[in-house]
Amino acid sequence: MSLLVVGSVAFDSIHTPTAERERVLGGSAVYFSYAASFFTPVRLVGVVGEDWPQEATQMLKSRNIDTSGLQVKPGGKTFFWKGRYMPNMNDRETLEVDLNVFGEFDPVLPQPFIDTPFVFLANAAPTVQMKVLSQTKNPKIVFADTMDLWIRTQHAPLLELFSKIDGLVLNDSEAKLLTEEENLITAGRAIQRLGPKYVVVKKGEHGAIFFEPDGISVLPAFPTSRVVDPTGAGDSFAGGMMGYLAAAGNTDPLTLRRALAYGTLVASYNVEDFSLDRMKEIDRSHLDQRFQQYQAMLQL
Ligand code: AMP
């Protein structure tokens, strides 16, 4: 089944303790789409300026990512984010954000996208996420991502969004900020009470906690010593998860859990190099192989 994503399409400048890259391809929707494209065709909704290279769009198209919802604003500049990672490669600080055309983004779904059954509202202002949601028709399942910026500055629209989605993906510090709870189990349950029946709390190198209506499960991250650039780990996790779900076409408990495992594995590849570079080197068979190793690792 098809999968729709709306989110940022960006140039990122990334500084890690050992290396730097300037203006590489990034953005929540780009990482998500590429990750999901290992499993299923993707419909992307976003906005770029005239500085966006045509080859980048071609590269996405070659992955079966439908870019007809990618607006190109003549005279405009693409969203730009610059960040620096701390020596633990988990914490980061934002050095610069130029919203550019993303600041006035008014998403419009092409007609064939409207009845997409699987929907992911990647990191964007909650008002933008809502605009997309209101244009969809009877989606089977809607997941969203958010970040500290929106929790701090757009609390009311965020709460409205939560009442309309099935699942939320966020990291541990965001879950604590949102609920003012230090205990992640209490925080996850509090978020469920705000609307989403599924909540995924990501804990970086420590994996994720999955809250379902009937219980809680935990997933470790796949152990890798090669952490080059964690940017997009959250988005590629979500892309792998939603891509797997859309390909399976259902949301039963075992499928959901396997989807989270595949999300974990795509993210484990993504952090092994800058931008999309490592994901470009692998195919579905690499993920299936890692899935076998992951499964063996979890057998008790
Ligand atoms: P992640 O590491 O999964 O949290 O995602 C990193 C990506 O988020 C980068 O490629 C950035 O371009 C993008 N990003 C950073 N800030 C924002 C923002 N305010 N809205 C949307 N996307 C953002």
Side-chain angles (χ1 to χ4, degrees):
M1 285 182 176
S2 48
L3 171 63
L4 173 78
V5 61
V6 59
S8 58
V9 178
F11 291 121
D12 293 337
S13 287
I14 298 155
H15 293 205
T16 74
T18 51
E20 294 175 6
R21 289 285 188 286
E22 299 303 325
R23 291 182 69 78
V24 292
L25 294 193
S28 55
V30 170
Y31 279 109
F32 179 95
S33 305
Y34 201 99
S37 71
F38 287 109
F39 306 94
T40 192
V42 183
R43 298 166 169 177
L44 184 152
V45 175
V47 66
V48 291
E50 64 181 19
D51 52 353
W52 183 252
Q54 184 59 32
E55 306 83 74
T57 305
Q58 286 308 330
M59 181 274 296
L60 296 171
K61 281 185 179 163
S62 75
R63 296 284 307 183
N64 221 348
I65 298 166
D66 185 335
T67 57
S68 55
L70 182 64
Q71 301 171 19
V72 182
K73 294 282 173 201
K77 283 174 72 181
T78 300
F79 175 78
F80 172 73
W81 175 78
K82 180 175 183 172
R84 177 169 52 208
Y85 286 89
M86 306 301 148
N88 66 14
M89 290 297 266
N90 194 28
D91 300 320
R92 71 180 176 206
E93 62 173 331
T94 293
L95 300 175
E96 205 177 319
V97 185
D98 298 330
L99 287 176
N100 298 327
V101 293
F102 193 54
E104 297 102 52
F105 181 32
D106 188 13
V108 180
L109 262 55
Q111 189 62 31
F113 286 15
I114 284 173
D115 58 1
T116 309
F118 288 78
V119 175
F120 189 72
L121 309 169
N123 189 10
T127 44
V128 168
Q129 293 174 311
M130 278 295 293
K131 267 190 189 162
V132 168
L133 193 54
S134 64
Q135 292 172 58
T136 62
K137 211 171 82 193
N138 299 326
K140 194 173 162 68
I141 195 159
V142 180
F143 266 74
D145 188 3
T146 193
M147 71 183 295
D148 52 353
L149 174 70
W150 314 122
I151 296 170
R152 283 185 222 278
T153 63
Q154 301 225 15
H155 206 75
L158 206 53
L159 291 183
E160 198 198 334
L161 178 79
F162 290 167
S163 70
K164 296 191 162 57
I165 58 176
D166 304 291
L168 181 70
V169 180
L170 75 180
N171 69 31
D172 45 2
S173 61
E174 292 158 353
K176 289 179 186 179
L177 179 70
L178 179 64
T179 59
E180 297 178 348
E181 290 286 354
E182 271 307 307
N183 181 292
L184 284 180
I185 307 303
T186 315
R189 290 197 174 120
I191 297 169
Q192 283 181 306
R193 287 196 293 276
L194 297 175
K197 66 177 170 175
Y198 303 112
V199 177
V200 183
V201 177
K202 297 167 292 170
K203 301 187 295 163
E205 62 181 318
H206 302 298
I209 312 178
F210 181 43
F211 297 81
E212 294 172 85
D214 303 330
I216 297 176
S217 42
V218 288
L219 288 102
F222 185 84
T224 171
S225 56
R226 184 176 157 191
V227 181
V228 175
D229 171 24
T231 310
D235 306 310
S236 52
F237 170 88
M241 177 186 88
M242 292 296 291
Y244 184 89
L245 276 184
N250 75 73
T251 56
D252 65 49
L254 185 61
T255 308
L256 269 166
R257 215 170 278 200
R258 291 210 167 130
L260 267 106
Y262 271 97
T264 301
L265 301 176
V266 182
S268 76
Y269 275 109
N270 180 62
V271 302
E272 291 179 353
D273 209 338
F274 283 94
S275 188
L276 306 174
D277 292 0
R278 184 66 177 125
M279 286 201 285
K280 284 181 179 172
E281 292 175 348
I282 63 163
D283 57 31
R284 174 69 193 262
S285 70
H286 291 81
L287 295 168
D288 290 338
Q289 220 176 349
R290 235 176 224 196
F291 185 82
Q292 299 300 330
Q293 292 173 274
Y294 192 61
Q295 223 174 8
M297 200 183 90
L298 293 180
Q299 226 148 39
L300 300 175

